Amino acid sequence: MSSVLVADLRAKAPVWRLSDEGARRLVAAAPEGWSVRIVEAPTISDGDGGTPPSDDAMKAVADAEAYVGFGMSRDLFLAAPRLRWIHSAAAGVGGLLFPELRSSGVIVTNSAGVHAEPIAEHVLGGILHFVRAHDVASELQRRHEWAREPFVGAHSPVRELSEYRALILGAGGIGRAIARKLAALGVACVGVRRRPELGTPAGFTRVVGADAWEALVPESDLLVISAPATPATHRLVTAPVLDRLPHGAIVVNVARGSLLDEAALAERIAGGAIRGAVLDVFEREPLPAESPLWELPSVLLTPHVSAVSPHRFWERELSLVIDNWRRLASGAGLRNVVDVGQGY
């Protein structure tokens, strides 16, 4: 009897849906002694695994040793007593960290590096939107108003990107990709990570620990949030942190909404202390209609789509899954292993 890998990746959203070609690639890549079981029922690609599973998925995992999906719910995990490995096509794994998983010894891997490039490009585009005052241009265009004064006057918000200093909260795969792109355009980037002794990745001028980053806030014109959502990072960026940013700073959040005090941010943008915000994630999703963020012209918001890359995602994702699958079959160490105790 062969070992079974279940692929639960037929997402309702077309850009996240495993294609027939991708399914054939998985089947063809099966290591000796393994078979693939494709769940055809539609699944949800949003979030990180907390959504209810399909009946087909519940049946498919009964004897599975490996599961690949968009996270994994507790009910689905409990229906799979033979599991050895779970891979999430999402970067976040918060929905997976239920007690039974934490105590099980099952290996969990995620897709953080897979999403790094499109998210970094999303961040770069959003920052340039404010650096070059495209928000001002869009508003003038909407009003059919030819006005040069906002750009050439004494209070012009236009700057060059190389004038900025960035503090990037989270120096993992996504934070590193952001730093590389910003540094290539002249931005001095400081990273924050739990273990700064691991070194300074390319793109950063230096990396500091969780006990040192707040002292750097007053000299950071760009505050980029790209850290995982854990109890330790909940409300990491508070009103007092925002108040210590330089006047005209730009705030970016591509992590999770729980890391940022949205109400405090909205107040400071409305008051003019913060130049703008690039927000792809929110405390509540969908963002409630009554949120003041909708009405602020200096907020560029997107509905949790910064990782979208229709043509490159599956190329990277399947390469990672297949490599890890072969490693599992041969007894080698896996890539992108999640520390379930730390939550990332």
Side-chain angles (χ1 to χ4, degrees):
M1 180 177 172
S2 65
S3 298
V4 175
L5 178 141
V6 170
D8 188 10
L9 296 165
R10 299 293 205 188
K12 292 182 179 180
V15 298
W16 300 123
R17 179 179 172 83
L18 178 70
S19 66
D20 291 342
E21 179 185 351
R24 287 192 291 270
R25 183 180 169 190
L26 269 180
V27 171
E32 184 177 354
W34 283 81
S35 63
V36 182
R37 191 174 294 153
I38 306 292
V39 177
E40 296 296 345
T43 188
I44 302 296
S45 54
D46 299 341
D48 50 22
T51 55
S54 66
D55 291 341
D56 290 355
M58 291 289 284
K59 295 173 184 176
V61 299
D63 60 347
E65 294 186 39
Y67 173 84
V68 181
F70 296 95
M72 191 179 199
S73 70
R74 178 176 179 272
D75 288 344
L76 194 57
F77 178 79
L78 294 178
R82 297 184 60 193
L83 269 185
R84 298 163 52 200
W85 170 46
I86 298 168
H87 176 78
S88 176
V93 294
L96 264 167
L97 302 178
F98 38 83
E100 293 88 349
L101 183 280
R102 288 179 181 269
S103 62
S104 69
V106 173
I107 300 169
V108 178
T109 57
N110 70 356
S111 301
V114 172
H115 298 297
E117 289 303 313
I119 291 178
E121 291 182 5
H122 184 98
V123 169
L124 179 59
I127 289 171
L128 284 169
H129 177 78
F130 293 112
V131 170
R132 300 306 301 172
H134 288 176
D135 58 325
V136 177
S138 294
E139 178 60 21
L140 292 172
Q141 181 178 341
R142 187 186 66 79
R143 300 200 307 248
H144 294 204
E145 183 177 343
W146 181 273
R148 300 182 74 243
E149 175 61 22
F151 301 94
V152 303
H155 300 291
S156 170
V158 177
R159 293 171 66 181
E160 290 189 21
L161 197 57
S162 61
E163 298 176 46
Y164 284 80
R165 302 157 297 177
L167 182 61
I168 301 178
L169 306 180
I174 293 170
R176 291 196 297 268
I178 294 169
R180 288 194 301 270
K181 293 187 186 302
L182 290 177
L185 296 175
V187 179
C189 300
V190 175
V192 181
R193 68 194 312 183
R194 181 168 58 91
R195 298 181 60 192
E197 69 273 11
L198 293 177
T200 303
F204 292 106
T205 58
R206 60 180 170 138
V207 172
V208 301
D211 59 344
W213 69 271
E214 289 196 44
L216 303 177
V217 169
E219 59 192 62
S220 303
D221 314 281
L222 298 173
L223 181 64
V224 180
I225 308 169
S226 58
T230 70
T233 60
H234 184 75
R235 285 292 175 97
L236 187 67
V237 178
T238 59
V241 170
L242 296 171
D243 286 338
R244 291 199 295 275
L245 286 168
H247 184 83
I250 297 170
V251 176
V252 178
N253 191 6
V254 288
R256 288 292 186 269
S258 61
L259 277 70
L260 171 66
D261 185 336
E262 282 178 13
L265 176 66
E267 289 176 3
R268 282 144 185 83
I269 292 174
I274 291 177
R275 167 70 182 92
V278 182
L279 305 176
D280 185 54
V281 291
F282 303 90
E283 292 179 292
R284 288 176 55 195
E285 296 183 4
L287 183 66
E290 64 271 18
S291 170
L293 295 172
W294 288 110
E295 304 298 330
L296 292 170
S298 292
V299 173
L300 180 62
L301 62 85
T302 48
H304 205 151
V305 293
S306 63
V308 170
S309 180
H311 303 296
R312 298 298 301 276
F313 168 72
W314 284 110
E315 174 187 330
R316 297 187 183 104
E317 180 67 15
L318 289 179
S319 294
L320 173 61
V321 169
I322 291 168
D323 181 47
N324 267 347
W325 191 10
R326 290 171 176 164
R327 288 168 178 257
L328 181 75
S330 67
L334 276 60
R335 297 161 52 198
N336 276 30
V337 174
V338 171
D339 182 334
V340 296
Q342 292 293 330
Y344 59 94

